[in-house]
Amino acid sequence: MIPECLVVEVGVRGDDCPLATATREVPVVVDARPPQLRADGYALLQFSAPADDRLADALDDDDRIRYLHRSRVDGRDNYRCLSKHPCVVHELVSVGLVVESLTYRAGDARIRGAVVGHDVLEGVMDRAGETVGVSLQRVYPLGDDDDHPVATRWDLTERQEAALRTAFEMGYFDVPRRTDAAAVAGALGISKSAFLERLRRAERTLAERMFG
């Protein structure tokens, strides 16, 4: 039995993988599953983003992408494809990082995962230090509440959680604000009114959970 499991958040800046390249060209937020490295050297990519034909075109024009498939559900595009370009996340996985979430925005990536024990953490930190553009953002012990997704824990929908998370990361809740509602809505690929409605519903849900 391992004594401790740690949550690790890593930022990646300047990666040249297909998803990073595509989000530099198209202002959308891409939520990806951890890439699966196959025996033939290709990585299986599965990811989703707000519906935007420009993203599909950018990926389709990338010579490193093979067998791109897109399906649209409730205003979001779900993608599957193969990539022959190695991803930075593989470097961290190889030394013990268990990736739980992976988000691309404006060419940068945010990786959240877990490591089992401080020895593995040291290996991840060493590899992050050796890899250009990779920085360790946060480390903290995994608690019981962290075993459940935020949306499940607080009774939020996935869209409400995405609206809250994106607004927080872009500085919408900072004092003074570093961005406005229109910018956050653009990052989410939705209208300003749709963003504000999701935000109000999420805030009401959180208030109800806190104050009954």
Side-chain angles (χ1 to χ4, degrees), residues 66-121:
R66 296 286 186 273
Y67 307 114
L68 179 68
H69 178 267
R70 175 178 63 160
S71 60
R72 183 164 293 179
V73 180
D74 293 334
R76 288 187 67 85
D77 287 338
N78 297 317
Y79 293 88
R80 288 176 174 80
C81 65
L82 295 180
S83 170
K84 63 179 181 180
H85 187 277
C87 183
V88 168
V89 70
H90 290 136
E91 296 287 328
L92 303 179
V93 170
S94 69
V95 292
L97 178 65
V98 180
V99 177
E100 296 179 350
S101 66
L102 178 58
T103 302
Y104 290 88
R105 178 187 291 110
D108 296 337
R110 184 83 174 191
I111 304 169
R112 185 179 186 274
V115 296
V116 287
H118 281 84
D119 290 343
V120 178
L121 174 62

Side-chain angles (χ1 to χ4, degrees), residues 124-192:
V124 171
M125 292 177 67
D126 289 343
R127 182 57 58 89
E130 295 170 359
T131 307
V132 176
V134 178
S135 59
L136 199 61
Q137 303 289 318
R138 189 181 177 203
V139 178
Y140 55 94
L142 179 70
D144 292 339
D145 287 344
D146 293 312
D147 286 337
H148 304 282
V150 171
T152 302
R153 194 190 322 162
W154 294 100
D155 293 333
L156 299 174
T157 67
E158 291 185 4
R159 292 180 179 181
Q160 289 168 1
E161 180 189 349
L164 274 174
R165 185 184 299 277
T166 303
F168 177 77
E169 291 177 350
M170 293 180 65
Y172 182 78
F173 296 113
D174 289 2
V175 180
R177 282 180 175 166
R178 293 190 288 110
T179 190
D180 57 20
V184 180
L188 290 165
I190 60 178
S191 67
K192 177 180 175 181

